[in-house]
Amino acid sequence: MANRNCSDGEHLTKNGKCCDQCPAGQYKRTDCDSNKTTICAECASGYYTATINYLPKCRKCMDCSEVNNHMRVKECTTKNDAVCGCVSGFYCTEEKCEHCKPAKSCALGSGVRVQATHTNDTICDPCEDGTYSNKSDSVSACLPHTRCEDLGREYKTSGTLKTNAICGDFISHCHWMLPAGLWSGLVLTALILFAVVCWRGKRKSYKAEKKEKAFLKPPFKTTGGGSISISLMEMFPAAPFPQLQPLPQNGHCQETSNVPLFNPDDYEVSCSTQNSVDSYHPITPLKASVSFAESTHTNGSAGYCTGILRTVSEPQEDEWCGT
């Protein structure tokens, strides 16, 4: 009779022999006999063996199909089966998760405290004061009410367990700010208009003064590019001319004469070069001239003058004694 006690890693066959087992990821293709040991083979794709075995074929991997609300958590290998889970809103009814069951949805006014896990359903709790839940699902928790005072707004509708608070208009603590702002704008506008009017008036005055100076500026130019300014001194009346005495009949016209033709002190003009002209009045310079009366021929001599008369007149061409 064959030995019924086999060592670890061996398998007792129907013939009563102890044959070697196959490692994980393989299966038994041929039993052992007196001439050969156990023949093993690798598992094909989609099949596996997780432990040492003496199986005639590999086990089929689990199918994680979306049709059954499954999702693949871990891929299948020749040594490990696939691991499946349930999509959101479902949970597994057993550890192997061959079936998925819809998770519990929390009602309005209640929120999810613990979402559904691999094998546990959703746990819901009623919303506390100051919170609300306006959704009925298996994932949403209670939310806090909006604090309108933090936003500077008034409460239009207070929040409930099922609805959020609704805020109204902004809270205004300074009702005088609007009229004060309007008055400030009006004052600022008036100041700007006043400044513009003053500036335009000053500009017109400056232009008029500039034109007056340009008009009074003499049309004289110095060699250095500056203008000549002529200032008139205080005028005094000329001294009366002395009575002229007739010359002797036999006298000749002489260039030298003791009688002054004009007194330099009678007319005094001061000239100075300045950048601007304080006053300008055109003055026609005067020239002292001597007019001679014509005489008749005496004893056949010509060029004699009968008399001499001193006058003040405009500059003339040189005058000669008549013959």
Side-chain angles (χ1 to χ4, degrees):
M1 180 182 284
N3 186 8
R4 295 181 179 274
N5 295 324
C6 297
S7 63
D8 292 340
E10 290 183 338
H11 177 72
L12 181 62
T13 63
K14 294 179 181 180
N15 298 330
K17 294 185 66 174
C18 290
C19 294
D20 294 332
Q21 297 187 75
C22 295
Q26 296 181 0
Y27 68 98
K28 174 187 67 74
R29 177 178 289 178
T30 305
D31 292 329
C32 66
D33 55 22
S34 57
N35 297 324
K36 60 181 184 299
T37 60
T38 304
I39 298 175
C40 300
E42 292 284 339
C43 295
S45 178
Y47 294 84
Y48 76 100
T49 53
T51 60
I52 58 174
N53 63 88
Y54 203 74
L55 297 173
K57 62 179 181 180
C58 296
R59 292 189 175 93
K60 186 178 180 180
C61 294
M62 184 176 179
D63 182 19
C64 301
S65 175
E66 293 181 358
V67 176
N68 298 324
N69 297 311
H70 278 124
M71 62 178 183
R72 194 179 298 278
V73 178
K74 189 176 180 179
E75 295 290 338
C76 176
T77 65
T78 57
K79 295 181 181 181
N80 294 291
D81 191 8
V83 178
C84 296
C86 296
V87 297
S88 179
F90 292 82
Y91 70 100
C92 301
T93 56
E94 72 283 335
E95 186 64 29
K96 196 175 180 180
C97 199
E98 292 182 352
H99 303 283
C100 290
K101 184 177 180 180
K104 177 182 177 181
S105 293
C106 298
L108 296 177
S110 298
V112 175
R113 180 165 64 88
V114 179
Q115 293 187 11
T117 61
H118 184 65
T119 56
N120 295 317
D121 197 1
T122 306
I123 299 176
C124 301
D125 277 341
C127 293
E128 299 177 354
D129 292 340
T131 63
Y132 75 101
S133 176
N134 56 0
K135 295 180 180 179
S136 178
D137 55 28
S138 60
V139 295
S140 299
C142 294
L143 300 175
H145 290 149
T146 300
R147 293 176 57 86
C148 298
E149 59 271 17
D150 294 343
L151 302 177
R153 292 175 175 268
E154 299 176 347
Y155 278 100
K156 185 176 182 179
T157 303
S158 299
T160 65
L161 296 177
K162 297 181 181 181
T163 60
N164 190 15
I166 300 176
C167 300
D169 297 332
F170 284 99
I171 300 174
S172 178
H173 300 287
C174 300
H175 301 284
W176 52 268
M177 291 183 64
L178 181 60
L182 293 177
W183 279 111
S184 299
L186 291 175
V187 172
L188 181 60
T189 303
L191 290 176
I192 293 175
L193 292 176
F194 178 75
V196 171
V197 171
C198 291
W199 176 79
R200 294 187 64 179
K202 188 174 181 181
R203 184 176 177 84
K204 287 182 179 180
S205 176
Y206 172 76
K207 286 184 176 180
E209 183 178 355
K210 188 175 181 181
K211 287 182 179 179
E212 182 178 357
K213 288 184 178 181
F215 175 76
L216 295 177
K217 187 175 180 181
F220 300 108
K221 298 291 182 179
T222 61
T223 55
S227 62
I228 298 178
S229 174
I230 299 178
S231 300
L232 295 181
M233 303 297 291
E234 185 177 358
M235 302 298 293
F236 295 95
F241 292 112
Q243 179 133 15
L244 298 180
Q245 299 296 330
L247 293 178
Q249 293 295 332
N250 57 354
H252 287 77
C253 289
Q254 298 180 359
E255 294 181 358
T256 60
S257 175
N258 294 326
V259 180
L261 297 178
F262 63 93
N263 189 350
D265 296 332
D266 293 344
Y267 307 96
E268 185 176 356
V269 178
S270 175
C271 299
S272 61
T273 303
Q274 298 177 352
N275 292 328
S276 63
V277 177
D278 296 330
S279 63
Y280 172 73
H281 298 283
I283 297 178
T284 303
L286 301 179
K287 179 179 178 184
S289 64
V290 179
S291 300
F292 297 92
E294 220 175 62
S295 63
T296 57
H297 294 279
T298 306
N299 298 328
S301 62
Y304 291 93
C305 299
T306 59
I308 182 169
L309 178 63
R310 183 175 66 175
T311 61
V312 179
S313 63
E314 293 290 335
Q316 301 294 329
E317 294 182 357
D318 293 341
E319 297 178 353
W320 303 90
C321 296
T323 57

